[in-house]
Amino acid sequence: MVDNGSRTDISFYWRFVSSAIAACFAEFCTIPLDTAKVRLQLQKKAAAGDAVAIPKYRGMLGTIITIFREEGLTALWTGLVPGLHRQCLFGGLRIGLYEPVKAFLFGDSFVGDISLIKKILAGLITGALAITVANPTDLVKVRLQSEGKLPPGVPRRYLGALDAYFKIIRQEGIGSLWTGLGPNIARNAIINAAELASYDHIKQTILEIPGFTDDIFTHVLAGLGAGFFAVCIGSPVDVVWWQLG
């Protein structure tokens, strides 16, 4: 993102496409963990009103094993289709818009010396814009993931992602697709700002060290640092979002 004095001009289209493809690949690889996380968070929320309830899921690994044993391997990829929809929109827009938003807010002078505060502001704005567009996919994904093993004879609420979109619109109104938008904007804007701003700043710092250039090794180092920082910031925000949701 930052090239310490020079910048390769990449169009919004290619930023969007490359970001969406990368985000979709990551979604496919990590959605079993996300499904387990959703089940654990919903269980804790439900247990708050029933102190004597015995928890069905215990820990991340235990949750994955329970889902696999009761519902089959494919259940771990429940919500993949809306998850890919989400990553195409949210993943593509949050990264694709980051550089244009910085340029719009601060002009081309940001190259190499933009402050961390300004990077955070750009990340907050792009995260908020991206999740506003992608909120319906988030809603459908969570609804599909949250439905566990049902008693015999009880049909599932939704047959799939497209069925869920249409049923929600038909039964609850099109505006219901943006249910929880406020908390979702706060959550994703903060996480996006933490990730993109830290990546941008770490990369800029690395490029100031003699011997480092804007190559794949630098990108990997910046990505590792940004991922660690984003998780540290995002995990508490994620838990609060689920309690509010």
Side-chain angles (χ1 to χ4, degrees), residues 14-34:
W14 285 113
R15 282 199 188 97
F16 178 89
V17 171
S18 59
S19 301
I21 291 173
C24 285
F25 179 75
E27 179 76 7
F28 179 81
C29 294
T30 61
I31 196 168
L33 299 175
D34 194 53

Side-chain angles (χ1 to χ4, degrees), residues 32 37 59 95 103 115 120 160 179 188 198 201 213:
K37 182 197 74 170
I95 297 176
S115 69
I120 291 173
T179 299
N188 284 279
S198 60
H201 206 69
T213 59

Side-chain angles (χ1 to χ4, degrees), residues 1-16:
M1 295 176 186
V2 175
D3 197 28
N4 205 33
S6 64
R7 180 162 55 98
T8 301
D9 289 326
I10 302 174
S11 69
F12 168 75
Y13 173 79
W14 285 113
R15 282 199 188 97
F16 178 89

Side-chain angles (χ1 to χ4, degrees), residues 2 199 202-207 211-224:
V2 175
Y199 173 89
I202 290 170
K203 181 184 172 187
Q204 179 180 329
T205 302
I206 292 174
L207 289 174
F212 283 89
T213 59
D214 191 4
D215 55 16
I216 186 65
F217 182 68
T218 298
H219 284 266
V220 170
L221 287 179
L224 289 172

Side-chain angles (χ1 to χ4, degrees), residues 98 101-102 105-106 114-128 188-201 229 233:
Y98 182 62
V101 166
K102 283 200 303 183
L105 292 175
F106 313 115
I114 186 172
S115 69
L116 179 59
I117 296 299
K118 291 180 178 179
K119 293 171 186 173
I120 291 173
L121 177 59
L124 288 170
I125 292 173
T126 56
N188 284 279
I190 291 171
I191 293 174
N192 188 65
E195 182 178 350
L196 294 188
S198 60
Y199 173 89
D200 208 353
H201 206 69
F229 187 74
I233 296 295

